Amino acid sequence: MTSVIERPAAQFGSASNLVCRECGATYPLGPSHVCELCFGPLEIAYDADLQRLVTRESIASGPATMWRYRGLLPVAPLVDLNVGMTRLVPAPHLARELGMKSLWVKDDSGNPTHSFKDRVVSVAASAAAALGYEVLACASTGNLANAVAAAAANAGLKSVVLIPHDLEAGKVVTTAVYGGTLVAVEGSYDDVNRLCAEVAGELPWAFVNVNVRPFYAEGSKTVGYEIAEQLGWRLPEQVVIPIASGSLLTKVDKAWRELGSLGLVDATPYKVFGAQSAGCAPVSTAFHAGHDVVQPVRPTGIAKSLNIGNPADGPYALDVVRRTGGSIADVGDAEIVDGIQLLARTTGIFAETAGGVTVATLRKLLAAGELDPAAETVILNTGDGLKTLDAVEPVARPTATIAPTLSAFREAGLFE
Ligand SMILES: *Cc1c(COP(=O)(O)O)cnc(C)c1O
Ligand SMILES: [Zn+2]
């Protein structure tokens, strides 16, 4: 087995090398994502001595963005739209409605392009810049398209974004406006992703979720770091996370394990719960069948940002959920719309369909007795409802439409 460990350049922060998640083979840091020996996925490994230089104080003295954790990330902030440090909102009214004791919403709709994807793109785009790429590309279910196009525009890079042709207008317009190349592909996300892997083999482009995916994925750790810091440097007891590729879920867990082993928080136990849409529930299905492998599906349903039928990190998400004692559930389109309305009505947060999936899954897991209503719980809202207006338009209408007179106001029953 070849094992290459090179001294990393300063621009790679505390990262030491790439490591295969399956066989443990190591590779120098660079634009590769697949193990040459076993075809397993590569991930970033860190120099623990360098990571140990990070303290609560050094983090607090950093910027009010995700880059305050740069000592725990694999690259310097070369591309930065002031992403992260989104609000952690207490949700007492939602908690009361669900019979829970303590509930928080980590609201990533507050990012520059209104989803958590700005985090992964900040790291991937910075890595692309460090590695000398001039074109930033991706396959996207929508939110990644926004984030890549905006980050490239800000950094003066070219962007090439490939999306399934049937995405919401709220994701197409909000990508095209940044002026990069936007290609609508007549196929599903999984078709788009396959095409991107082929194109990536032909052109010297940084595909954020293909050849620089190990860097991309680390960006999601910052969700976990922020939750811990915002709770006063401790971990919650339960977290509910939506699953598309499964990367976000696995990286929140990685973040919390790192914080525990670095002594930045007490390594208290937590349970990780996964949320999927019934129209695309391959990880939930595998969980309930007791399988370690994830059988691909053809996605349907309104939660398009989560519609990855062949999730790259599905098996690792299963590992995390099983190791921590959590579980996974999936919810149908009507429940998703109810979930969006419930969150909006009780917190003032307007989530996209993925957030509806998470709230509806929270409710379902509570009803099933799998989530403890007495345990402190954080749920992630990963995107903004303004991008998926069509999902709620039929049920979110004016209470009344009236003539501009007092009698009309009274007749419409608005005095009650
Ligand atoms: C991409 C995305 C997710 C899930 O991301 P994975 O890391 O691929 O599991 C969740 N919510 C929203 C809104 C997304 O765009
Ligand atoms: Zn390997």
Side-chain angles (χ1 to χ4, degrees), residues 20 22-25 27 35 37-40:
C20 173
E22 290 299 323
C23 76
Y27 300 87
C35 178
L37 302 177
C38 78
F39 302 107

Side-chain angles (χ1 to χ4, degrees), residues 115-117 143 242-248 305-306 308 352 354 382-383:
S115 87
F116 99 91
K117 290 298 199 299
N143 285 314
I243 297 174
S245 72
S247 178
L248 171 62
S305 58
L306 302 182
I308 298 185
E352 76 144 83
T382 45

Side-chain angles (χ1 to χ4, degrees), residues 260-277:
S261 70
L262 293 169
L264 291 167
V265 298
D266 288 337
T268 51
Y270 55 84
K271 294 183 178 183
V272 178
F273 295 84
Q276 290 210 292
S277 137

Side-chain angles (χ1 to χ4, degrees), residues 20-196:
C20 173
R21 279 157 112 173
E22 290 299 323
C23 76
T26 58
Y27 300 87
L29 291 164
S32 50
H33 64 118
V34 181
C35 178
E36 290 163 17
L37 302 177
C38 78
F39 302 107
L42 302 182
E43 109 174 297
I44 304 281
Y46 293 89
D47 180 329
D49 289 334
L50 285 178
Q51 280 200 319
R52 260 190 284 278
L53 299 175
V54 175
T55 62
R56 291 181 186 179
E57 292 70 33
S58 72
I59 290 168
S61 69
T65 72
M66 59 178 269
W67 291 106
R68 67 205 277 105
Y69 310 103
R70 65 177 283 182
L72 305 175
L73 293 172
V75 68
L78 301 177
V79 179
D80 179 22
L81 280 173
N82 290 316
V83 174
M85 276 316 263
T86 56
R87 56 197 182 142
L88 181 69
V89 185
H93 303 297
L94 178 56
R96 195 172 315 127
E97 185 134 348
L98 296 172
M100 299 182 76
K101 222 167 115 190
S102 172
L103 180 62
W104 304 79
V105 182
K106 177 63 171 168
D107 183 18
D108 253 15
S109 68
N111 276 314
T113 70
H114 311 281
S115 87
F116 99 91
K117 290 298 199 299
D118 287 315
R119 298 175 184 275
V120 285
V121 169
S122 291
V123 177
S126 294
L131 294 165
Y133 285 98
E134 285 162 13
V135 179
L136 208 56
C138 73
S140 173
T141 59
N143 285 314
L144 187 60
N146 295 162
V148 164
N154 181 263
L157 299 167
K158 290 200 181 86
S159 69
V160 180
V161 169
L162 287 83
I163 53 172
H165 64 108
D166 60 350
L167 283 192
E168 303 95 335
K171 291 186 179 150
V172 178
V173 175
T174 52
T175 300
V177 72
Y178 297 111
T181 302
L182 176 61
V183 184
V185 178
E186 291 164 339
S188 68
Y189 170 81
D190 298 283
D191 298 323
V192 175
N193 195 40
R194 213 173 308 119
L195 174 60
C196 278

Side-chain angles (χ1 to χ4, degrees), residues 240-241 243 273-278 280-281 283-285 287-288 321 327-331 357 360-365 368 370:
V240 187
I241 303 176
I243 297 174
F273 295 84
Q276 290 210 292
S277 137
C280 180
V283 187
S284 177
T285 302
F287 179 79
H288 291 284
V321 168
S327 85
I328 307 179
D330 54 90
V331 290
V357 168
T361 298
L362 168 70
R363 182 148 69 179
K364 187 166 180 174
L365 291 167
E370 292 175 24

